Amino acid sequence: MNELLRRALGLPPQASSDARSIDLLHYSVIGAAFVVAFLAFAIAGLFLVRYRERPGAAARRRPQPPRWIEGGLIAGTLTAFLAWWVVGFSQYRELRAAPDDALRIHVVGKEWMWEYVYPDGATADTDLRVPLGRPVELVLTSRDVIHSFYVPAFRLKEDAVPGRVTTMWFTATRPGTYDVLCAEYCGAGHSRMRGRVIVLPPDDYARWSGARPAADLASTGKDLAVRHGCLRCHTVDGTPHLAPSFRGLYHSEVVLSDGRRVVADEAYLTESMMDPQAALVAGFPPIMPSYQGELGGPDAAAIVEYLRSLRTP
Amino acid sequence: MSFWNEPAGVRSWLFTHDHKRVGVMFLATVTLFMALGGAFALVLRLSLVTPGNALVDADTYDRLFTAHGVVMVWLFMIPAIPSGLGNIFVPLMIGARDVAFPRLNLASYWVFVAGALIVVTALLWGGVDTGWTFYPPYSTSTRSAATIAAIGVFVTGVSSIMTGLNFIATIHTMRVAGLGWRQLPLFVWAIYGTAIILVLATPVLGLTLLLVAADHVWRLGLFDPITGGDPVLFEHLFWFYSHPAVYIMILPSMGVVSEVVSTFTHRRSSSYGAIVISTIGIAVVGFLTWGHHMFVAGMSTFDVGLFGLLSMLVAIFSAIKVFTWISTMYGGTITLATPLFYVFTFIFLFVFGGMSGVAVATTSLDVHWHDTYFVVAHFHFIMVGATMTAFLAALHYWFPKLTGRMYSEAWARLGCAAVSVGFVVTFTPQFLLGNGGMPRRYATYPAHFQALHVVSTCGAVMLAGGMLLTLAYLVVGVVRGPRAGDDPWRSRSFEWRSPSPPPPDNFPAGVVWVGGPYDYPDTEADAELALPAAAEAVVYGAAPGAPGSSVGLDRDPGSAEGEP
């Protein structure tokens, strides 16, 4: 039944753990749409034929329809709408909450391609490769305008917004190669901003991953932090120096110089590299230079991963 | 003697204070823009017949879909029914001799023309490639004429605000003696709700577009992250206007449908109160649903849940209207005529389109269907399917009122069939394209989508043929259609109480009205007793305090409606 409806509606294969349940909910809404649209049309058509004007017809009393019919219809419709909201929103919350052990891959959109940064620091490939059956979290940002990372076979998309970091996660359930499309209009190359995600069985993924020299993204980030002089002001042992220590900074709540409290998440950390004075941690001098243009998207992602490796429970 | 030739002369039209003439000028102008926007759409559809860039290159394609969206939204749909038909019929329906501020009304037309000229100049001279949504940082970094287009849209917004204010003042202060809020025709209620949205939401659009233009020119750092801005802030501000703007387009259409259903079924609305409450409900709750355009834009999960819930609530008001229209048909005395056929198309498209809206308002489903052709098909079902068919229903319904003549019913039915079938064939394949994962605004596409695109383009050609046919027989009807008489549909609605076409002043001074706009008999016995022609139903000159002297049903006017 699922397969029949999926084909009838022209939906792509269900290649992620969430695709099937999302499709089932979609069938129920679209099925209801068909039924009520045709019912409304048919009932109105029936009235049109039944009550059409006939000159000289016998007089007959035709009172207004009873109120409870409309009341019942409204109550039924509202119930259906709320039920869809409850099921849909619980699915949505699941789509938002990545498991802790997910494989984190950074994705950077730019006009007009996607770049991937794997936990071991590799960035070269234009195809995204992910292991079958393991949760994968994509950490998205953009270098220029808004893009949207869209994998129809996973039923997932999320905007890649410049100056912000967004996330999405999935568990691929079918090996194969699937389309990656850009779903947010981004200029003349928008429709050519296509890529592929290749789902590999775990052994193949390990072999592919192991074929590269071992280095992980966090240690790449550490190298970068050394090379760009970050550690001259930021310590890594938790003692504050000219700037907040890197240890325990990731996802901690910090108080800013203007009194606001923010969580030092990916978006905040990236912003602090590119525009340090925008949100300065209270108690430190405004001396950090901007690394805009000096650190590319993959570099910034690597430094964020380095900070993540220094988080404290 | 009618408003068409009294007073005579071109100058008397260009500088008229007559609401009907302003409305006619608006109608003519927006029809021109509908044709322009339609032509853009046809080129888009033709170029999508092949997966590559056969007809136009990607850069031109981007300019074309932007032009199509901007023209259709701001130069056709937003002004068409409120500024065009509303201007003509709101005063006629409330027994007024004009709107509250006739000069402001004339100004709103010329300000609209000025804004439209700026927009069209930007679109044709250089072009704009941002899409009608103007999302930064693309719009603040593009080298196309986005700033000029934004200023043009800003100016048309000023016109919208003028019209909205004028309607609110008119409906509050210009109602004829004897016309209370509970006898107000449903079209007037719909225009009232629309006017509230126009006045409250349009300033936010104006502000947002000015900020984009300023960010583009002076690099203020408002929306562009390179200078410290936030593009998501723009999305919030833009949709705070543009979601209610959807109701600016659909609410007046719903008002038209309420009028047409009552007139052609010769039946009072089965629940006047339900229609009024849902009109106001849509106008109010419609302001609180903008976030459902941003479920995958990085908004917090809590906000997503809240906006999803509010979107379901606004959908229920639309459902209430559909139930009421259909139950009004139950037991009516139904005259088969083109306006009613358009209403049938409207009901089908509106219900299916509305339900597809519920599908994308369901938060987890939107993640896949957002920004795909499914959404394109959804809003075209509502905005083109429903708004356009309601606009055509209104044109046919009020054609004899406005011109005193009748179009060819046979050609009109053919035109209605071509438009309805053409529309369904155009947009149904687009739902399937969206299911398959075809994103919108694609100049080229993966080859496996081609078959559905070809079907869609065939439908678009048919739709265009139907529209041209409609234009042709309506023009013939204006020139040499048979005389229609004052009230050819035997409507009880108030606008038919003046002669057709109406004289410049609509009604003699000092009129008092009795009865409601939907005083149709509930039984056939009543029907035989009286469905008087409009001329008799007019209560011109009835002395104040002597309503019994008027012709009409012997019934207490206050109890004519259900409890609102």
Side-chain angles (χ1 to χ4, degrees):
Chain A
M1 188 64 178
N2 169 41
E3 188 59 16
L4 186 74
L5 285 170
R6 186 187 71 75
R7 285 175 182 277
L9 292 173
L11 288 160
Q14 295 161 342
S16 77
S17 52
D18 298 302
R20 190 185 146 87
S21 55
I22 287 176
D23 282 0
L24 292 179
L25 183 60
H26 184 71
Y27 303 152
S28 76
V29 184
I30 289 302
F34 266 104
V35 171
V36 292
F38 280 100
L39 260 186
F41 197 64
I43 292 172
L46 182 76
F47 290 164
L48 184 123
V49 174
R50 177 82 181 70
Y51 301 114
R52 72 183 183 280
E53 205 168 18
R54 274 169 291 202
R60 198 163 12 85
R61 193 171 165 73
R62 290 179 298 198
Q64 292 281 349
R67 278 295 168 86
W68 62 264
I69 294 184
E70 181 155 12
L73 283 170
I74 294 169
T77 313
L78 190 60
T79 309
F81 286 2
L82 290 179
W84 282 321
W85 177 77
V86 168
V87 177
F89 189 48
S90 75
Q91 288 181 352
Y92 185 91
R93 284 160 55 104
E94 207 160 297
L95 295 179
R96 289 274 137 230
D100 282 341
D101 62 341
L103 177 72
R104 278 167 63 97
I105 302 175
H106 289 260
V107 180
V108 182
K110 63 175 188 180
E111 292 174 342
W112 289 284
M113 63 175 292
W114 299 103
E115 289 178 339
Y116 306 104
V117 190
Y118 293 86
D120 61 5
T123 62
D125 213 322
T126 54
D127 291 329
L128 173 64
R129 283 182 168 75
V130 297
L132 182 72
R134 178 174 169 196
V136 175
E137 183 175 26
L138 300 183
V139 182
L140 301 156
T141 190
S142 164
R143 285 177 58 178
D144 36 49
V145 301
I146 304 175
H147 303 280
S148 193
F149 190 87
Y150 179 30
V151 184
F154 295 167
R155 307 292 186 274
L156 283 179
K157 75 165 64 70
E158 184 72 28
D159 286 2
V161 184
R164 286 189 174 218
V165 172
T166 52
T167 61
M168 62 194 276
W169 81 276
F170 57 86
T171 303
T173 54
R174 280 169 57 137
T177 302
Y178 306 101
D179 286 335
V180 173
L181 303 164
C182 177
E184 184 63 63
Y185 173 70
C186 56
H190 172 52
S191 67
R192 303 263 182 208
M193 190 168 163
R194 298 177 212 162
R196 299 190 302 175
V197 51
I198 301 170
V199 179
L200 296 169
D203 293 350
D204 291 357
Y205 181 80
R207 206 171 305 127
W208 171 78
S209 179
R212 294 194 306 264
D216 67 19
L217 190 51
S219 52
T220 309
K222 185 177 179 186
D223 292 346
L224 285 164
V226 171
R227 205 158 0 115
H228 288 280
C230 307
L231 303 186
R232 293 188 189 166
C233 302
H234 299 276
T235 68
V236 295
D237 59 1
T239 50
H241 182 42
L242 287 172
S245 173
F246 278 173
R247 178 159 300 274
L249 182 59
Y250 179 85
H251 276 208
S252 67
E253 195 183 69
V254 294
V255 181
L256 301 183
S257 52
D258 61 5
R260 280 184 298 146
R261 293 173 163 274
V262 299
V263 173
D265 56 6
E266 285 86 347
Y268 172 80
L269 296 171
T270 309
E271 182 193 46
S272 294
M273 288 181 236
M274 302 307 166
D275 186 9
Q277 315 309 336
L280 203 65
V281 176
F284 295 100
I287 52 173
M288 178 165 159
S290 168
Y291 286 83
Q292 181 86 43
E294 198 167 329
L295 290 171
D299 300 341
I303 292 174
V304 169
E305 278 303 308
Y306 173 52
L307 290 174
R308 188 163 174 265
S309 73
L310 293 173
R311 69 187 186 277
T312 47
Chain B
M1 189 193 74
S2 75
F3 76 96
W4 288 96
N5 44 28
E6 179 66 33
V10 175
R11 270 185 68 88
S12 75
W13 272 85
L14 298 183
F15 301 102
T16 183
H17 294 170
D18 185 335
H19 66 99
K20 299 179 289 300
R21 289 186 165 192
V22 173
V24 166
M25 291 198 291
F26 260 117
L27 272 188
T29 314
V30 300
T31 304
L32 196 71
F33 285 124
M34 179 177 74
L36 183 68
F40 289 139
L42 209 54
V43 180
L44 288 174
R45 280 301 343 150
L46 288 173
S47 79
L48 286 169
V49 167
T50 59
N53 295 117
L55 190 61
V56 295
D57 61 22
D59 223 26
T60 313
Y61 183 90
D62 296 344
R63 283 166 165 73
L64 279 169
F65 78 66
T66 304
H68 168 67
V70 169
V71 167
M72 284 300 202
V73 169
W74 282 298
L75 306 187
F76 171 60
M77 267 185 299
I78 285 181
I81 299 188
S83 301
L85 296 167
N87 247 322
I88 301 172
F89 291 105
V90 164
L92 283 172
M93 284 179 152
I94 61 172
R97 306 180 76 180
D98 208 320
V99 290
F101 308 116
R103 287 179 199 79
L104 186 69
N105 203 21
L106 178 67
S108 84
Y109 174 73
W110 287 112
V111 168
F112 173 75
V113 170
L117 283 179
I118 298 173
V119 171
V120 172
T121 306
L123 293 176
L124 298 181
W125 179 49
V128 183
D129 67 348
T130 61
W132 75 280
T133 46
F134 293 106
Y135 269 24
Y138 191 79
S139 62
T140 51
S141 59
T142 178
R143 280 172 299 167
S144 68
T147 303
I148 304 174
I151 289 169
V153 171
F154 177 89
V155 175
T156 64
V158 174
S159 162
S160 289
I161 295 169
M162 288 175 171
T163 302
L165 276 175
N166 216 340
F167 284 153
I168 292 174
T170 303
I171 294 166
H172 272 276
T173 63
M174 305 284 285
R175 298 193 316 278
V176 69
L179 177 60
W181 285 93
R182 289 186 177 196
Q183 284 96 44
L184 212 54
L186 293 168
F187 179 74
V188 178
W189 270 112
I191 291 288
Y192 185 73
T194 309
I196 290 173
I197 305 176
L198 281 171
V199 170
L200 292 183
T202 315
V204 179
L205 173 78
L207 166 123
T208 311
L209 290 179
L210 276 194
L211 291 179
V212 167
D215 211 13
H216 193 175
V217 177
W218 292 303
R219 305 244 141 250
L220 293 185
L222 300 164
F223 303 130
D224 191 338
I226 287 181
T227 45
D230 183 0
V232 178
L233 172 65
F234 172 86
E235 293 178 32
H236 279 291
L237 291 171
F238 180 80
W239 290 113
F240 183 84
Y241 163 80
S242 291
H243 193 74
V246 173
Y247 300 112
I248 296 176
M249 303 168 201
I250 196 71
L251 264 183
S253 311
M254 293 166 158
V256 167
V257 171
S258 298
E259 295 296 328
V260 170
V261 166
S262 272
T263 290
F264 289 88
T265 58
H266 304 288
R267 186 94 160 138
R268 68 185 166 88
S269 179
S270 71
S271 179
Y272 178 90
I275 296 273
V276 172
I277 289 169
S278 56
T279 297
I280 300 304
I282 286 173
V284 174
V285 182
F287 271 103
L288 304 173
T289 62
W290 79 89
H292 67 213
H293 296 266
M294 301 166 60
F295 286 167
V296 298
M299 208 162 57
S300 78
T301 305
F302 177 82
D303 287 358
V304 167
L306 194 62
F307 282 119
L309 188 60
L310 287 164
S311 304
M312 294 297 183
L313 285 184
V314 81
I316 200 79
F317 290 120
S318 300
I320 291 174
K321 284 189 187 285
V322 174
F323 297 146
T324 308
W325 293 323
I326 293 178
S327 63
T328 302
M329 293 179 189
Y330 166 80
T333 306
I334 301 179
T335 309
L336 300 186
T338 305
L340 193 63
F341 289 126
Y342 270 114
V343 163
F344 267 71
T345 304
F346 175 95
I347 286 177
F348 180 77
L349 299 179
F350 183 68
V351 173
F352 195 82
M355 284 297 293
S356 67
V358 170
V360 279
T362 305
T363 46
S364 66
L365 299 183
D366 187 58
V367 175
H368 175 63
W369 279 271
H370 183 81
D371 269 337
T372 66
Y373 264 63
F374 188 93
V375 170
V376 175
H378 155 66
F379 71 73
H380 279 85
F381 258 64
I382 301 293
M383 285 157 74
V384 193
T387 304
M388 185 88 89
T389 51
F391 180 68
L392 288 168
L395 276 188
H396 287 83
Y397 171 47
W398 282 318
F399 187 88
K401 176 79 240 170
L402 209 50
T403 65
R405 293 175 185 270
M406 195 54 101
Y407 50 84
S408 155
E409 176 70 16
W411 283 109
R413 288 186 187 187
L414 185 68
C416 175
V419 167
S420 307
V421 175
F423 178 84
V424 171
V425 175
T426 307
F427 291 103
T428 309
Q430 298 191 6
F431 279 118
L432 297 172
L433 284 169
N435 284 352
M438 165 94 198
R440 62 196 285 203
R441 297 175 169 178
Y442 261 29
T444 61
Y445 55 85
H448 63 270
F449 290 125
Q450 188 174 11
L452 288 167
H453 272 298
V454 170
V455 175
S456 177
T457 301
C458 292
V461 172
M462 191 171 178
L463 179 57
M467 296 300 287
L468 286 176
L469 174 67
T470 304
L471 184 68
Y473 70 73
L474 286 183
V475 168
V476 170
V478 170
V479 178
R480 33 176 255 212
R483 297 279 168 196
D486 280 342
D487 184 12
W489 310 122
R490 288 168 294 133
S491 174
R492 303 298 304 263
S493 195
F494 293 149
E495 73 273 24
W496 301 96
R497 288 184 173 187
S498 71
S500 304
D505 283 337
N506 302 344
F507 305 99
V511 178
V512 177
W513 281 7
V514 291
Y518 308 109
D519 280 350
Y520 298 101
D522 270 353
T523 68
E524 280 192 12
D526 286 348
E528 283 172 10
L529 185 115
L531 258 184
E536 299 166 67
V538 171
V539 284
Y540 289 166
S549 65
S550 66
V551 179
L553 288 175
D554 188 16
R555 183 212 293 253
D556 173 14
S559 69
E561 321 306 338
E563 285 303 309

